[in-house]
Amino acid sequence: QAQGDVEAGKAKSATCVACHGNDGNSPADMYPKIAGQHASYIEKQLLEFKAAATGGVGRANAIMGGMVMPLSEQDMADLAAYYASISVTPVAVPEEVIEQGAALYQGGDMERGITACIACHGPRGEGLESAKFPRLSGQHPAYIKAQLELFRSGERDNDPNGMMRDIATKLTDQDIEILSQYVAGL
Ligand code: HEM
Ligand code: HEM
């Protein structure tokens, strides 16, 4: 794996600004924040957008598929190092989702076979760099919701061993609504 360089990544990030914002904290909530995300996870996503765009197995997305086309593996590693080095801006959790959100996030649901999110995404939604588990805290709720729906429908299927797919297929619309607002504020 290529070693990323923060300064080189910053220099290569000009084309990302239009959607992900000046510092990776995208102002529009249909675009994910990438600031503060783990470098290992960012790099994996960039590689997989390219894999899908070139006819292989990966993460299919028309916009990002185009964006990653000209990027080398070194570019991806540099961009990942740069965005990982910036802090993500916090999101406030609406009071009314805290109780149900915390119950599902921390405890899962044994009866419905839902593994607790905390097992992989951590007590503060911080994820885990070494395992490529993404940070969720600070992310736009609208983007989180969209991704949970994509995992559930199977349109996003680049999660290792179908971990997210397996969980998302057991989530109701209401679970997704609550979780997406709750985890953003962890
Ligand atoms: C998603 C990086 C340019 C639109 C992502 C993700 C990364 C990323 C790492 C995945 C985030 C996650 O999984 O949490 C970059 C980099 C760029 C770039 C490094 C510059 C080289 C752009 C531009 C646009 C854009 C210019 C808009 C025209 C999107 C969208 C998604 C996304 C819509 C979500 C895709 C989905 O729903 O699966 N980007 N991006 N990106 N990016 Fe970019
Ligand atoms: C990705 C939420 C449980 C492992 C994601 C993403 C979301 C999410 C929103 C996409 C992040 C992004 O695009 O930036 C949740 C919620 C959970 C849960 C709400 C509980 C209901 C778990 C568990 C595991 C796990 C238990 C481990 C067994 C992963 C992995 C990815 C991921 C590996 C990245 C997939 C990839 O590489 O593309 N999760 N998650 N998640 N989650 Fe979870």
Side-chain angles (χ1 to χ4, degrees):
Q1 220 170 12
Q3 187 67 35
D5 180 85
V6 174
E7 284 308 314
K10 185 173 185 181
K12 292 170 182 175
S13 70
T15 51
C16 319
V17 170
C19 301
H20 295 286
N22 274 325
D23 61 350
N25 282 297
S26 57
D29 70 3
M30 71 258 227
Y31 301 124
K33 294 185 189 174
I34 52 178
Q37 188 53 273
H38 299 295
S40 61
Y41 170 82
I42 295 179
E43 204 177 340
K44 176 179 186 283
Q45 302 309 307
L46 295 175
L47 286 165
E48 291 179 349
F49 282 129
K50 190 161 181 177
T54 51
V57 179
R59 177 173 172 183
N61 181 265
I63 299 175
M64 280 306 299
M67 291 308 304
V68 295
M69 269 319 203
L71 301 181
S72 67
E73 291 193 14
Q74 185 63 56
D75 295 336
M76 294 181 190
D78 292 341
L79 286 160
Y82 167 59
Y83 283 112
S85 75
I86 311 171
S87 299
V88 69
T89 52
V91 168
V93 191
E95 197 60 38
E96 62 270 20
V97 305
I98 293 180
E99 198 178 323
Q100 278 178 280
L104 203 48
Y105 187 86
Q106 290 165 15
D109 188 329
M110 283 247 278
E111 256 169 50
R112 292 194 286 153
I114 300 170
T115 312
C117 322
I118 196 172
C120 300
H121 295 284
R124 304 294 311 277
E126 72 275 24
L128 188 63
E129 166 83 54
S130 62
K132 304 189 176 85
F133 294 154
R135 169 185 299 280
L136 303 176
S137 58
Q139 188 54 271
H140 295 300
Y143 168 79
I144 297 175
K145 182 173 177 230
Q147 295 308 307
L148 290 173
E149 289 170 352
L150 289 173
F151 282 125
R152 186 170 64 177
S153 68
E155 285 165 80
R156 177 169 172 182
D157 60 358
N158 66 319
D159 52 323
N161 312 318
M163 290 173 186
M164 281 306 303
R165 171 102 224 259
D166 182 54
I167 292 167
T169 51
K170 293 164 184 156
L171 299 175
T172 63
D173 288 346
Q174 205 207 352
D175 294 332
I176 289 180
E177 191 62 51
I178 289 169
L179 280 168
S180 56
Q181 296 185 52
Y182 176 77
V183 302
L186 275 169

